[in-house]
Amino acid sequence: QVQLMESGGGSVQPGGSLRLSCTASGDTSSTTCMAWFRQAPGKEREGIAAIDKDGNTDYKKILTGEDRLTISSMNDRFTIAKDNTKNIMYLQMNNLELDDTAMYYCAAASVGRGYCYLQFLEGLSLDTWGQGTQVTVSL
């Protein structure tokens, strides 16, 4: 069984940066995919980014612009990475905005090759989660 523990959250001003860590322990041999999610008060949990054992990544796409027809990626400000030797996953968050305030969670899954992407993970009942780390962006 895999245990996950997040760290690195805190309070920052808009434009600031944080790096979250997710340390995996236990039997990680079957873990092929890890991901970051977040949940703000009163909102549904949303995926941010996922990474597989080979380092392939997937980021949430966002509709922006006045007409919400411009597609941007969470990768514009966030970067997911993983150190397989230490079983630690990271989320580097730059240029943080007020709307980034949320509890951030990491999750682990055992999925087939090519299936470590958010749209697929969000449809699964993932059962391996960390306890979360709070990120607060405020003036």
Side-chain angles (χ1 to χ4, degrees), residues 9-133:
S11 297
V12 297
Q13 294 183 334
S17 297
L18 285 172
R19 188 178 79 158
L20 306 183
S21 298
C22 172
T23 302
S25 60
D27 185 5
T28 62
S29 60
S30 63
T31 298
T32 59
C33 177
M34 296 184 72
W36 286 101
F37 292 79
R38 69 183 181 184
Q39 186 165 21
K43 295 186 177 181
E44 292 185 356
R45 186 177 62 203
E46 63 174 348
I48 301 171
I51 187 166
D52 68 14
K53 294 189 72 172
D54 296 326
N56 299 304
T57 60
D58 179 54
Y59 290 88
K60 180 181 177 66
K61 305 301 186 293
I62 305 169
L63 294 177
T64 60
E66 292 184 358
D67 55 5
R68 301 189 64 79
L69 294 179
T70 301
I71 298 175
S72 63
S73 168
M74 294 293 283
N75 192 26
D76 291 346
R77 298 185 295 119
F78 293 3
T79 302
I80 191 172
K82 191 169 181 291
D83 186 334
N84 288 329
T85 63
K86 298 179 180 179
N87 284 329
I88 301 177
M89 177 178 65
Y90 303 99
L91 184 68
Q92 177 67 44
M93 305 186 296
N94 298 326
N95 194 21
L96 284 162
E97 302 172 351
L98 296 176
D99 287 345
D100 294 320
T101 295
M103 185 71 78
Y104 285 68
Y105 299 91
C106 62
S110 176
V111 298
R113 183 179 294 272
Y115 285 88
C116 185
Y117 58 94
L118 290 175
Q119 190 171 6
F120 181 76
L121 296 175
E122 289 170 343
L124 299 178
S125 296
L126 299 174
D127 56 6
T128 304
W129 294 88
Q131 84 290 348
T133 185

